[in-house]
Amino acid sequence: MSRNGLLDMLEGNFPHLTAQQKDRFAALLPLYGEWNARINVLSRKETPAQWSVRHVLHSLSIARFIAFKPGAAIMDLGTGGGFPGIPLAIMFPETSFYLVDSIGKKIKVVQAVAGALELSNVRAEQIRAEDVPGRFDFVVSRAVAPLSELHGWIRNKIKPVSQHALPNGLICLKGGDLAEELAPFGRRVQVQPISDYFGDDFFETKQIVYLPI
């Protein structure tokens, strides 16, 4: 997908992007292309056009679900190559993002991409979930572990006082049949089909799972 194609896709869904946000999103895929040739953090079988949908737009579905407020603290648990954290950090430049992963080479890529984009609101660290210091308004995650495991790792890392309309908690990007995985949480859990936001076929089975903590 060309620079204009990526921006057209984003502008069609997020019409109020600033010039700085557009510049950063335009630079995002070329940066990942350069780094992915050295350290494989995205599938090399996928095209840049597929990266745009399966990584950038998928990450930004969270921005359709909730608008993070200035000053909020968000942890991206198991960020991998920086998703959903990097696209969300571009979208919410006044929100602090802490991107963590247990694999050092992936964090190296995240740090390099965040540095190249001058994302001063991003901090990335190689660390295990249970060792993460501090507390956060929300923890976001994409296909890292079952909800019960994620809940166990982060339930003591959520701030007790909420500043958003949604109570603080866990926001996950997941796919497929989630009935068994979500059953232990009953009516506490909220599921939002991403196909309500974006029309691409990729999102037909993709969902946002929100669990207040």
Side-chain angles (χ1 to χ4, degrees):
M1 182 175 289
S2 69
R3 176 186 184 277
N4 288 337
L6 171 58
L7 289 181
D8 285 345
M9 180 187 71
L10 293 178
E11 288 173 342
N13 291 284
F14 301 96
H16 303 297
L17 293 175
T18 66
Q20 184 182 62
Q21 287 171 323
K22 292 177 185 179
D23 287 344
R24 284 171 167 167
F25 280 123
L28 192 60
L29 293 185
L31 280 170
Y32 274 107
E34 293 172 12
W35 275 100
N36 211 53
R38 288 179 273 173
I39 299 174
N40 189 20
V41 293
L42 300 177
S43 173
R44 291 172 180 166
K45 296 179 181 179
E46 295 176 349
T47 66
Q50 290 173 315
W51 289 352
S52 298
V53 172
R54 299 180 182 186
H55 301 290
V56 180
L57 195 59
H58 191 201
S59 296
L60 291 175
S61 65
I62 292 175
R64 294 288 296 270
F65 183 73
I66 182 173
F68 294 125
K69 291 191 174 183
I74 312 299
M75 177 170 66
D76 178 3
L77 178 60
T79 189
F83 300 96
I86 292 287
L88 289 173
I90 297 174
M91 188 64 70
F92 300 106
E94 297 182 11
T95 300
S96 296
F97 289 85
Y98 180 44
L99 280 56
V100 303
D101 201 282
S102 61
I103 300 176
K105 67 179 182 179
K106 293 183 177 181
I107 289 298
K108 178 182 178 181
V109 174
V110 173
Q111 291 171 334
V113 169
L117 296 175
E118 298 182 349
L119 292 173
S120 60
N121 61 329
V122 169
R123 182 164 66 100
E125 185 176 8
Q126 180 186 4
I127 188 172
R128 295 177 61 85
E130 51 267 38
D131 298 325
V132 168
R135 293 194 174 202
F136 305 87
D137 295 88
F138 290 93
V139 174
V140 298
S141 187
R142 184 174 74 150
V144 171
L147 192 64
S148 58
E149 290 186 30
L150 291 170
H151 178 262
W153 292 337
I154 63 92
R155 66 177 182 270
N156 296 323
K157 303 185 188 301
I158 300 296
K159 292 181 179 180
V161 178
S162 299
Q163 58 174 311
H164 297 78
L166 285 177
N168 294 348
L170 177 63
I171 301 173
C172 303
L173 297 175
K174 288 184 171 290
D177 185 354
L178 301 175
E180 184 176 347
E181 181 178 347
L182 304 186
F185 299 95
R187 294 184 178 181
R188 288 178 57 200
V189 71
Q190 177 180 338
V191 177
Q192 169 62 52
I194 298 178
S195 58
D196 287 354
Y197 300 143
F198 307 134
D200 192 281
D201 290 347
F202 173 74
F203 297 113
E204 286 185 1
T205 62
K206 305 299 182 186
Q207 299 167 84
I208 294 171
V209 174
Y210 162 63
L211 180 67
I213 304 294

